[in-house]
Amino acid sequence: MYERVLFAVWLLTLVLFQNAESCELRPVLAQVPKRLPAGYVISEGTEELTLKGCAANPVAFTSSDPDFAVNTDGTIITVRGLVITTKRFSVLVQDESGLDWRVDIILSCKDEASQKSSSVVHKRIKRRWRPLPFSLIENDSPPFPKDLEMISSDSSVNYTVDYHISGQGVTTDPVGLFLLDKKNGMLKVTRAVDREQYPQFNFIARVYDQNGREVDAHLPITVIVEDKNDNAPEFIGGRLFSVEERCRAGTPIGQVNATDKDQANTTHTLIKFTLLNATDMFSIEPFTGKLTAKTNTLDREAQDKVFVNIEIRDMGGNPNGLFNRGTVVITLTDVNDNPPTFKEKLYKANVKENQENVLVTRIPVEDKDLVNTINWTALFEVTKGNESGQFRMETDPKTNEGLLYVVKGLDFEKTPVVKLEITARNAVPLVGTDVAWLSVPLELTVGDEDEGPEFNPTILYLKVKENVPNGTVIGTYKALDPETKNSNGIKYYKVTDPGNWITVVESTGELRTANTIDRESPLVHQDKYNITIRAVDESKKAGRGMVIILIEDENDNMPVIPSTDLVICSKGDALSSVLVEAVDQDKPPFSTPFIFEFGAEHDGKWKLKDKTDSSVVLEQAVPLPNGLYSVPLLVKDLQGFGKEQTVNVRVCSCEREENGAGICGARSASTSLGSLGVLALVLSSLLLLLLCLLVIFICSTKRDKLYLNDDTGTGGMLLKSNTEAPGEEVKEGALMIIPGTDAMDGSHQSGTIKNVTSSAGNIGQQFFQGGGVYNTTTQDFGTEKYYTSGRYDNNLYGNGGFQKFSNTNTLDTWNTNGRYLDRKLAYFGGEEEGRYADDLLKTYGNEGAGSPAGSVGCCSILGEPESLEFLNTLGPKFRPLADVCYTTK
């Protein structure tokens, strides 16, 4: 049976092949006008183009010249306007069996001689030297070489010629493609040509006589390679696309692109796109390749990627066209078209009573949408059973589970089982589905715990009038044991009581006043005063409750004028006024409206007007001069409770007004001047005090003045003494002056001053001038104070020594001087060497006898002791100081 089928197919093919070989198509020769408009119809040749007599039916026509097109009935039309002399092209006819038939079309102008050919397609016609372009079918089948065209020159009539060609396809790449018979001019092709590589060839033909002389102009020859559908279309560009699931039908997805290497604008490159699968989901435009969604039921959860096979076929999709196939991947992106679903129909959990902020249970859900997106993340809510806000729901970001928390402690005695409803939803609305958010019931069992006492109610409100007597019972606040439902064994204690106004009876919870309850106290806010009570049972467990005391007002406060010092600006003869305001800490009806009246001592100079609930205008009844006036006012509340108050009103010429109140100009200046005056007074007082202290210090520490008589004839000159200051070797020990004739004889004509300084820095001075000595010493060594005052004595030199006269006896004086000198030497021993020069005698110039100035220098003294007459000679600037000194003296 199988062999018979193969034999029938072979026989049919042989018959068709023989018919095709026996059918000969002649070239179509047509005369047309020189100018052809677009759409011009060339009706000649329809029999050849329709394969009449060839036992075949044409199904497609392809023109090798894009300027011409062929209708389905075989007529040829121009695509655009043309100007031609001669035109040659071919039409490829494809029959229903897939065989190709070629018909040559030759057009010539009507006004030119045209030669019609009656030969078959393979009969060659002698051409003029300048023929039409030749055509060559690409990839022609062997055998080769094949005759292409014959070229000839008119010079062959007169000469025996040889033909030669050169150029592309002959002497240049591709070399040797064309051959030319030198004698008869037959042009041959030696092998198949690919149009996609060489769409046409241009070379030159020359004609020579036997002497090698070129007898005609060279001939440019163009050979056009006619396209053959030998290239299948190919995909270009990307083939990965995406579209949202549940999108509307007709939503664009992308465009598939393809190309064909054959000649453009022909059926060889007319590509048709065809879906081979997923045709219920997508569609594609046949000749553009645009992909669109075909339905609105695309479901990512069912298939997130769709692999679509597409066929691209040239020849407009003709079965005989070449084709290629490829795969396009369309990814469906996620939308929120699936709600979270619960795994159980009922969830159960347990929690102990009074626990707060604890995780009770986890509630798992499933969501088919893309994981870790907003379409997948679930949000949970307690939609029933959470009216008191005792529960909170959260989402575990990793597992997408619902987490149920207890925020406020539950009470087993009140609700041993709590029934909740949990709803799960997404952060974004559902799309493309009618399904609603799902809910699930949850039963929460509350475990019993031994609890402390509980107050009922948790907040107790009591109304109490202010100022009730101490010890007044205002109420009782008891707590119950949740297990026994009684108050046995419970004790009560006060936790907070800001004003210590209430006491709590420990055993009964009775509340009594301990101090005066004052509604106007700063501890009271909006007439409310809070205290906290603590109840403790026998197991030492405790509970707390709050008592809010609502304090009722009583008329225990009188109206008061807060500002009793007022200012009225004087306006000449015009009567001025000022606003008087009063306040009362009580509430109506124990406060406003106030009653304003004058007191009993009112002098009639003032009057009241423009009364309001809390103020009145005080106006002059008669013009008043500037001054301070006291006005008695009686202010009473609505119940007539009040007292007389005095308002001090200053009438003055105002400098300005601030916030409706006058500012007295003179008073302001006086006040400013007074402040500066006080400051100046304080500073001057301090300066005066310092000056007095300075004068007292100077006068109390002034040195006694000593006048010395110059009986020695020295003329008041100080002579250099042989006594030297202590040397470096003197570090300690007492320095004593031993009486003797050597020291104090008459040979010493000059006055000598010996200075001795103590270790504390105080100096005792002894003056030797002639036969007199003056000594003054004031010492302060540690806690001992020594004071000696000397006087002048002329008899010191007569006894061959010197004596020191003091207020104490001689022995005490010597002891004192000894201690003084010891400390002085110790002081010298610790000082620098240059310090000794300050205590040495210095020599000064002699002014001569009778000089009124006497000796001038650091050791000069006044002529008469204890005299202050020199102060009279001072200038006026020193007169106050002189007066002070005289007064002190």
Side-chain angles (χ1 to χ4, degrees), residues 151 161-165 179-188:
I151 60 176
V161 297
D162 292 333
Y163 297 97
H164 298 271
I165 56 176
L179 295 176
L180 182 65
D181 190 326
K182 294 182 179 181
K183 298 303 182 181
N184 59 15
M186 177 60 69
L187 181 65
K188 300 179 180 181

Side-chain angles (χ1 to χ4, degrees), residues 399-457:
T399 63
N400 208 28
E401 294 176 321
L403 308 179
L404 178 63
Y405 288 88
V406 174
V407 179
K408 300 177 182 178
L410 302 175
D411 190 352
F412 170 80
E413 286 72 25
K414 294 181 179 179
T415 51
V417 177
V418 180
K419 294 185 178 181
L420 305 175
E421 182 182 80
I422 310 298
T423 300
R425 59 184 180 86
N426 297 121
V428 293
L430 291 171
V431 177
T433 180
D434 297 332
V435 180
W437 304 119
L438 303 179
S439 300
V440 66
L442 185 145
E443 291 184 359
L444 183 60
T445 302
V446 182
D448 189 18
E449 291 284 328
D450 187 12
E451 303 171 277
E454 294 181 354
F455 286 96
N456 189 17

Side-chain angles (χ1 to χ4, degrees), residues 660-685:
I663 303 297
C664 292
R667 184 181 180 188
S668 176
S670 176
T671 302
S672 176
L673 182 60
S675 301
L676 296 177
V678 171
L679 180 59
L681 182 60
V682 171
L683 293 178
S684 60
S685 300

Side-chain angles (χ1 to χ4, degrees), residues 498-499 501 518-529 585:
W501 290 352
D518 186 8
R519 190 194 68 85
E520 292 76 29
S521 170
L523 301 176
V524 178
H525 301 282
Q526 297 180 353
D527 300 341
K528 297 178 182 178
Y529 179 77
Q585 294 184 355

Side-chain angles (χ1 to χ4, degrees), residues 462-479:
L462 297 176
K463 289 186 178 181
V464 179
K465 289 187 177 181
E466 64 175 334
N467 302 320
V468 297
N470 294 346
T472 302
V473 178
I474 62 173
T476 301
Y477 195 27
K478 286 192 174 184

Side-chain angles (χ1 to χ4, degrees), residues 28 30-44 49 61-72 74-92 103-109 132 224 226 263-267:
V28 176
Q31 288 185 338
V32 295
K34 185 176 183 179
R35 296 183 180 274
L36 298 178
Y40 182 84
V41 179
I42 303 173
S43 59
E44 291 87 346
L49 294 179
F61 302 92
T62 303
S63 172
S64 63
D65 192 330
D67 293 336
F68 298 92
V70 182
N71 292 330
T72 56
T75 58
I76 302 173
I77 60 174
T78 57
V79 177
R80 60 185 181 88
L82 299 172
V83 176
I84 63 172
T85 56
T86 58
K87 187 74 172 178
R88 180 173 181 172
F89 61 97
S90 62
V91 175
L92 189 66
V103 180
D104 291 331
I105 309 296
I106 302 174
L107 303 179
S108 61
C109 294
L132 292 173
I224 298 175
E226 295 183 2
Q263 187 173 355
N265 301 319
T266 65
T267 55

